[in-house]
Amino acid sequence: LAKLNSSLFIGSARLQDVANKGRPLRLGDHSPAVALLQAGIADLGYAMSKSKLPNGRMDGRYGEELMIGIQKVQEWAGLTVDGTTGADTIMMIDKWLVAKFPPKKAAVPAAVAAPLPVTRDYTIGSGDPPFGADPGAGVWNSKPTTAGALLQWAAIERILGLAAAYPGPNAARHMRHYLYNSGSTYTIDLEGMIKSVPVAKQRLIIEFRQAQEFIEKLPAGRHNFTSRFAESAYNRKSESADWYFAIGGYSYWGKGVAVVSVVGGVKHFDVDFQFKFYDRYNWDGGKQVTIAGVVITDDFMGEFHRQGLAREFDCVGEIGRRVRWSGQSAAPTEAQITEKVGR
Amino acid sequence: MKGRFQFAVLLFATTIVGCDASGEAPSPTIAKENIVTDAAAEIIKKIGLNLPASARFDHAAYEEGVDDSATLIISLPLSDWEQVKQKPPFAGAEFARDRKYYLGPDSDGWEPSKIDDLPTAQISIANGKQALNVGVEAGRPSDVRLFIFWHQL
């Protein structure tokens, strides 16, 4: 039997029944279990303002707002999008809630003693928010290797060998990792991307400011904090051809540890901030680029993956910053956020 | 593939008309606004947006890459926007002035940074495989202008 594990859902017999393939919750239902579901959807960051009563509690009615929230979860998770909460959907929500609000360990009394804030963007916790993952070109090594694909593979590898031909070192490295077929997770040069792509640098600053808004509301103590949502951005060719070909679109979020102290009535903040990055390197969905006069389409790049000549992989990255400031008026400068300093 | 080729030709034609530095008028049979509209229609179909007939397209550009992207500027009567934003994919999106979701750098015909009041929202579509970043130019008397940056992940 499936077991619900999030602190919000544990103890609800009705939700546990749904998880065990009992009667789904659906439009028109009205019950305390629906109120818990509404709270869970709100905790995951979906709009639930219309369902909230003046006293802050959920109204427990399975209305259009909850249905839309459920549909978004289902769409994100690749489930059937019908707005009804059955076993698969409740288990997915429960899993995300556990990831977002992991069970608290014993040794954090200072952090749990005081009421903790939640802002629109950040919350207490150390888990990662859910983020989209492209399924890619299909199952790796699921088709026999053809002579034509081998010739094309060799042609692409020749391009990578010509330093001037490929648009930049990172694009070449990522392509090479794909062609070298390990499928292993690849750590990108995120510091380099932030330096080279002005808009990527902006995203780091904005993400830190969102975290800062949350941190400045924290009481004294040591706190793990994390984004409530992953956001996405895109490296445009006009900003960096290298990073455009290396990555394109990507997801990012922030997390870290904040130590807050109060001296003479002034709050001091000592923060280890991590800017996290994720992307899936793949070739699918009608993609096509021209490099060094050679048109590279997913017709054969995706085929390499399916024929076991290349393998899609996860790209991850992380930037760490140790930032200290005092009071709300002496906020860290953009340079403190963006520039790597020896520690 | 054929459709993609036609689409590329369409965008190429847009560039030709848009970059006419000779001072000569573009061919009377290919008005720029029609080309933008046609290109926008292709992009909207690809993204899966459903817009009313009153939608007017001020800008449309598409770029293919490891991940594709597109920029669109669309004008809509206020009353139509009120209806459009109640339906997927906009339903539930919270447009906020202080969010500054990704709209990318300015380029020819795409200058969201010059709009003073541009609440934005980010909407995940296609099972999280694509992102729709939308800015709504506020404060216009009878219509809204949507700045849409769509991209694959």
Side-chain angles (χ1 to χ4, degrees):
Chain A
L1 291 177
K3 184 175 180 304
L4 295 172
N5 291 307
S6 65
S7 56
L8 186 63
F9 289 172
I10 276 180
S12 168
R14 179 71 180 95
L15 292 181
Q16 187 58 59
D17 180 56
V18 174
N20 291 336
K21 301 190 189 298
R23 180 184 169 276
L25 293 170
R26 55 170 64 101
L27 192 64
D29 284 356
H30 183 199
S31 68
V34 173
L36 286 174
L37 184 60
Q38 288 171 316
I41 291 294
D43 281 346
L44 290 177
Y46 296 97
M48 273 291 134
S49 53
K50 289 180 195 160
S51 306
K52 199 176 264 185
L53 298 169
N55 63 9
R57 295 186 174 184
M58 294 296 176
D59 63 11
R61 294 178 188 280
Y62 203 120
E64 194 180 352
E65 191 177 45
L66 179 57
M67 195 175 74
I68 288 170
I70 295 294
Q71 284 173 337
K72 290 191 171 194
V73 166
Q74 290 169 329
E75 185 182 29
W76 192 291
L79 301 173
T80 303
V81 180
D82 58 9
T84 296
T85 304
D88 290 343
T89 303
I90 197 75
M91 289 307 292
M92 183 57 66
I93 295 168
D94 183 69
K95 184 177 156 192
W96 286 353
L97 285 171
V98 169
K100 194 159 212 177
F101 308 103
K104 291 201 168 46
K105 291 178 182 157
V108 284
V112 296
L116 296 170
V118 175
T119 61
R120 192 176 46 192
D121 306 296
Y122 273 81
T123 187
I124 288 293
S126 56
D128 294 322
F131 47 85
D134 193 327
V139 179
W140 176 75
N141 202 18
S142 58
K143 292 173 71 176
T145 305
T146 62
L150 273 171
L151 283 172
Q152 287 162 340
W153 189 97
I156 297 291
E157 212 208 4
R158 261 202 311 279
I159 293 175
L160 292 177
L162 305 170
Y166 211 63
N170 294 288
R173 279 186 207 118
H174 295 195
M175 174 78 87
R176 203 171 282 126
H177 192 71
Y178 178 67
L179 294 179
Y180 288 176
N181 207 12
S182 72
S184 60
T185 297
Y186 184 89
T187 302
I188 72 159
D189 176 14
L190 190 54
E191 292 278 4
M193 190 175 106
I194 295 297
K195 268 189 192 163
S196 306
V197 185
V199 169
K201 188 174 176 179
Q202 262 179 28
R203 302 330 295 175
L204 167 61
I205 294 166
I206 290 171
E207 190 63 41
F208 182 85
R209 295 298 185 211
Q210 290 175 358
Q212 182 190 336
E213 181 196 357
F214 175 75
I215 291 162
E216 290 182 348
K217 290 182 167 65
L218 289 168
R222 178 186 170 86
H223 310 271
N224 289 314
F225 62 88
T226 187
S227 288
R228 298 179 69 203
F229 320 93
E231 295 183 16
S232 64
Y234 189 88
N235 295 324
R236 296 202 75 178
K237 196 175 180 181
S238 60
E239 292 199 298
S240 166
D242 183 20
W243 285 104
Y244 165 76
F245 283 109
I247 294 292
Y250 59 91
S251 302
Y252 65 92
W253 63 98
K255 63 195 294 188
V257 179
V259 176
V260 182
S261 55
V262 181
V263 179
V266 178
K267 274 187 175 178
H268 299 270
F269 307 97
D270 186 345
V271 176
D272 258 323
F273 178 74
Q274 296 169 344
F275 183 66
K276 308 278 282 186
F277 167 101
Y278 172 81
D279 186 36
R280 179 80 177 162
Y281 190 92
N282 56 29
W283 292 81
D284 68 301
K287 293 167 186 174
Q288 170 180 302
V289 293
T290 302
I291 299 169
V294 177
V295 178
I296 299 176
T297 75
D298 60 283
D299 292 340
F300 59 89
M301 290 300 287
E303 195 62 21
F304 291 164
H305 170 83
R306 289 186 289 271
Q307 292 192 16
L309 292 170
R311 194 162 189 176
E312 295 168 356
F313 58 93
D314 287 335
C315 293
V316 298
E318 180 180 315
I319 280 179
R321 294 287 185 268
R322 178 82 177 266
V323 185
R324 296 185 183 96
W325 71 100
S326 298
Q328 260 91 349
S329 56
T333 63
E334 291 191 358
Q336 282 176 278
I337 301 164
T338 58
E339 288 168 19
K340 186 180 181 184
V341 181
R343 296 170 62 177
Chain B
M1 180 59 97
K2 188 182 169 195
R4 185 159 65 201
F5 174 73
Q6 288 171 336
F7 184 37
V9 169
L10 203 60
L11 290 181
F12 181 62
T14 306
T15 308
I16 297 287
V17 174
C19 296
D20 181 7
S22 67
E24 290 178 16
S27 162
T29 58
I30 313 174
K32 182 178 178 182
E33 56 269 30
N34 291 341
I35 292 171
V36 170
T37 299
D38 288 347
E42 285 278 348
I43 294 169
I44 280 169
K45 189 175 163 193
K46 188 173 176 80
I47 298 173
L49 286 182
N50 193 6
L51 295 173
S54 59
R56 200 182 72 240
F57 303 103
D58 302 329
H59 164 84
Y62 194 94
E63 191 165 47
E64 289 185 326
V66 174
D67 293 314
D68 292 359
S69 69
T71 49
L72 288 168
I73 302 176
I74 302 167
S75 297
L76 274 178
L78 267 176
S79 54
D80 285 351
W81 169 237
E82 290 302 323
Q83 291 186 5
V84 166
K85 72 180 181 184
Q86 302 300 324
K87 297 174 187 168
F90 298 103
E94 292 184 33
F95 289 89
R97 286 183 164 78
D98 58 339
R99 287 306 284 257
K100 301 189 191 317
Y101 282 112
Y102 180 86
L103 290 172
D106 290 353
S107 55
D108 189 27
W110 174 258
E111 295 180 321
S113 75
K114 294 190 176 169
I115 308 298
D116 289 334
D117 193 2
L118 192 69
T120 57
Q122 184 165 83
I123 304 164
S124 174
I125 58 175
N127 296 330
K129 291 184 289 184
Q130 300 171 12
L132 201 58
N133 301 307
V134 186
V136 181
E137 185 178 358
R140 293 167 66 90
S142 60
D143 68 350
V144 293
R145 279 210 308 165
L146 306 181
F147 286 74
I148 295 180
F149 188 98
W150 165 89
H151 66 87
Q152 296 175 325
L153 281 164

